[in-house]
Amino acid sequence: QVQLVESGGGLVQAGGSLRLSCAASGRTFTTYSVGWFRQAPGKDREFVAAIRWSGGTTDYADSVKGRFTISRDNAKNTVYLQMNSLKPEDTAVYWCAAVPFDGRLGRLSLIRVSAYDYWGQGTQVTVSS
């Protein structure tokens, strides 16, 4: 069992930056792949970024490529999402999620909500124009 806690959300002006953190407890985090997802009002939850357990391979949604960076510090059991050049359309609740290794469906599935076993409680990010 892994417990995930997100932090770092808040209100920022367009063009600004935020860094979200996803702290894990309960199990060694090194063998878990981690994803970030977001959901805006009236929309489905969508993939933002993921980082694999092995080698730290990353993947990003097209909408955030070049602006967001996912990274992990296994010594701290924490995954980060650095968000730069924020836009009003980035406004959403952001969740981190984790799954052992590459999950049941393999690494290409890490962009899917259904690939993950554990979820945090979410953190609100609001970008004002």
Side-chain angles (χ1 to χ4, degrees):
Q1 192 80 6
V2 172
Q3 293 80 43
L4 304 174
V5 178
E6 301 98 336
S7 61
L11 174 64
V12 64
Q13 288 188 331
S17 298
L18 284 174
R19 188 177 78 160
L20 304 183
S21 298
C22 174
S25 61
R27 297 291 295 271
T28 302
F29 210 31
T30 55
T31 57
Y32 285 76
S33 294
V34 177
W36 284 96
F37 292 79
R38 67 185 182 185
Q39 187 170 15
K43 295 188 176 182
D44 293 333
R45 192 171 300 192
E46 65 175 6
F47 169 75
V48 175
I51 187 165
R52 291 184 65 210
W53 69 280
S54 175
T57 306
T58 59
D59 195 9
Y60 297 92
D62 288 342
S63 59
V64 307
K65 278 182 182 175
R67 300 189 298 124
F68 291 11
T69 303
I70 188 171
S71 62
R72 66 192 304 157
D73 185 339
N74 287 332
K76 295 183 178 180
N77 266 14
T78 301
V79 170
Y80 303 99
L81 185 68
Q82 178 67 44
M83 306 186 296
N84 298 329
S85 302
L86 282 162
K87 304 176 181 179
E89 51 263 44
D90 294 318
T91 295
V93 176
Y94 284 71
W95 288 270
C96 66
V99 64
F101 302 105
D102 290 331
R104 293 174 295 279
L105 302 178
R107 64 182 181 89
L108 296 181
S109 72
L110 293 176
I111 64 172
R112 302 179 189 176
V113 170
S114 60
Y116 294 88
D117 294 334
Y118 305 102
W119 291 81
Q121 82 288 352
T123 186
Q124 176 70 45
V125 171
T126 302
V127 184
S128 63
S129 57

